[in-house]
Amino acid sequence: MSRTLLVSPDRPGAYPSIGAAVLDAPDDAVISIAPGVYLETIDLADRSVTLTADGDDVVIDATTAPAPVLRASGGRLTLRDVTIRAGDAPAIQLDGGTLRAERCVLSAGFGPVVQVTGPAEVAVSHCQVSGGEHGLVLEDCTAKVEHTKVTGVSADGVIVRLGATVVLHDCQITDCGRRGVYAYQYGRPTIDTCEVSGTSEAGILIAYDSTAVLRHTVVRDAAGPAVAYGRRCRGEVVSCRWENTAEPALELAEPELVSVTAAEQLDSRMTTDEPTGADVESLLAELDAMVGLAGVKDEVRSLIDEIQVNEWRRRAGLPIGSLSHHLVFAGAPGTGKTTVARIYGKLLAALGVLPKGQFNEVARRDLVGQYLGHTAEKTTMVFEGATGGVLFVDEAYTLSRAGAENDSFGQEAIDTLVKLMEDHRDEAAVIVAGYSDEMLRFMDANPGLASRFSKTIDFENYSPDELTLIVQRMVAAQEYDLDDGAEPLLHRHFAVVSQAANFGNARDARRLFDRVRKAQSQRLRRLGGMPGLSELRRLRLDDVTAAVS
């Protein structure tokens, strides 16, 4: 029979914190947690434990901590009826073992909300996942996710990669900054009776030799196609439908590899219709709307002008020079490099330079293999998957030998990438990004690397005025009202913190906004009873003061 340990800071004889109970818990123990907010992070290594709420409103809050709220490696972790709030790290990070989450509310400020690396087994049911860059990142694992809602993530709702076998059943995936479901590198998702809506790219994207089965699933309001299968991707699409998505709604790179039955639209082609000049202007307007970055905007506009003039010269029968679309983005984190890269890819597509303009963001782990020869294979697969769009290599300097002694795998990735850029120079745009000094050293990692890139664009840190404006835009976007007296306080705060060596620019602005909302929530909760609409919207000066202190 399993042992039960009680956690309650106010109850004599109970454990004062979850971490204290975990330290004493034998295997297969149940830790019963009294209602309250627990400001802690918990590490579990080869442990088997259940964390369950003893009543409503059990919150594990680590929004100010740089570490995952719950990190488990090996063992078995079961969660029931708890709310977990993370900051810039995952709410749950599982490195092998077993995870079961039931009726939980999970959120993060940045990065993945749930990150699983295998070999692992995962079962998630009746949960809510929100915030963060990605909702669920599942790799090298077997997972079943059912009756769960993933919403409001800045990039992909669910990522299935590195051979993960995942079943999504009766799930809602909404309001994603990129794709609802993204499978790559031999991912094997089965998406059954789900709804995907409100994505800025494809609703469901299957890429890089993955196999996906879609049944009785609806995709709505996607800026890209409803469903897209890349080259060498296989699967089935059965009784699915889509509404208000880009055309073609069902995009199959190799239709003979995908069985389609009883779907509302069967139009399949590899490229979208040629965008108009109005698309270029709207994308440039989107770029102009970003806070600051005056020099970056000028550089991008000059590139677009040169591309446009080259096209006019070509049509007039005049000679044109070769123009590389590969770029180096140099600057500190949080300065808008990823956002600008996405817009740049769409601009290249709008100008007819690239057929699609899709955005593929990768890092070292996506390119570097685990044994001799594996890196070249992985890098080639990633490059092929980016064909027709942008390959964005974040923190590219981590690949160079300067970053680690005798790093032959990272160097192999660079050498492979250089060759692919030469052999397929007009088929994709490669953007490498990272800190300015590190990127200078990165460019020395291969004799041909510097010649592959036409330009380095420097992203300067945001000024205190610009960071204050970024927070104000976040406030407006989330339908809050900020007290007038808060602006000088925000400016003074950013003037101080922006001098720190590890300052995160817009990321720090996002973290501050989250702290302000947290301060408002705590203040309103202490008042008791449901406040009126105006108070729910209002962020008072003392909320900001609490957040910056």
Side-chain angles (χ1 to χ4, degrees), residues 173-354:
I173 304 169
T174 65
D175 299 331
C176 300
R178 297 193 65 192
R179 297 148 299 215
V181 180
Y182 179 32
Y184 67 100
Q185 291 179 342
Y186 302 95
R188 297 188 296 272
T190 296
I191 305 171
D192 178 47
T193 320
C194 294
E195 179 178 339
V196 179
S197 64
T199 62
S200 66
E201 297 181 25
I204 299 170
L205 175 60
I206 312 301
Y208 312 151
D209 298 274
S210 295
T211 301
V213 177
L214 281 59
R215 300 191 186 102
H216 309 288
T217 289
V218 178
V219 181
R220 296 188 176 94
D221 304 324
V227 178
Y229 280 76
R231 289 182 294 175
R232 301 189 305 274
C233 293
R234 304 172 182 271
E236 302 176 27
V237 179
V238 180
S239 298
C240 296
R241 57 193 177 93
W242 26 82
E243 303 170 9
N244 191 32
T245 69
E247 295 292 339
L250 179 59
E251 185 175 283
L252 308 179
E254 298 183 67
E256 66 275 11
L257 300 182
V258 182
S259 170
V260 179
T261 306
E264 286 197 2
Q265 297 183 36
L266 301 179
D267 180 21
S268 304
R269 54 192 172 100
M270 293 184 63
T271 61
T272 58
D273 294 333
E274 182 179 353
T276 65
D279 295 320
V280 174
E281 292 307 316
S282 64
L283 288 167
L284 289 173
E286 182 181 345
L287 177 68
D288 288 339
M290 295 181 67
V291 174
L293 305 178
V296 173
K297 294 170 184 176
D298 287 343
E299 293 278 12
V300 173
R301 278 189 171 272
S302 68
L303 289 170
I304 300 308
D305 290 344
E306 188 173 359
I307 293 169
Q308 183 68 78
V309 171
N310 272 357
E311 176 60 19
W312 291 338
R313 287 179 61 87
R314 185 189 66 79
R315 292 179 183 178
L318 296 173
I320 59 174
S322 61
L323 180 62
S324 170
H325 306 299
H326 308 311
L327 300 173
V328 178
F329 282 3
T335 49
K337 296 188 291 293
T338 305
T339 302
V340 173
R342 285 199 183 102
I343 296 173
Y344 179 67
K346 293 176 181 178
L347 282 165
L348 293 180
L351 290 165
V353 175
L354 296 176

Side-chain angles (χ1 to χ4, degrees), residues 347-366:
L347 282 165
L348 293 180
L351 290 165
V353 175
L354 296 176
K356 292 185 179 180
Q358 83 276 13
F359 184 81
N360 302 73
E361 181 178 359
V362 299
R364 177 189 168 93
R365 66 180 301 167
D366 300 301

Side-chain angles (χ1 to χ4, degrees), residues 455-493:
K455 186 181 290 288
T456 295
I457 298 181
D458 293 309
F459 287 68
E460 296 183 355
N461 288 334
Y462 287 111
S463 70
D465 284 339
E466 291 167 342
L467 291 162
T468 300
L469 178 57
I470 288 172
V471 172
Q472 290 171 329
R473 288 191 177 183
M474 292 176 181
V475 168
Q478 295 295 319
E479 297 191 35
Y480 286 95
D481 297 320
L482 187 65
D483 276 3
D484 293 338
E487 183 175 343
L489 181 57
L490 290 172
H491 189 278
R492 289 194 298 272
H493 169 75

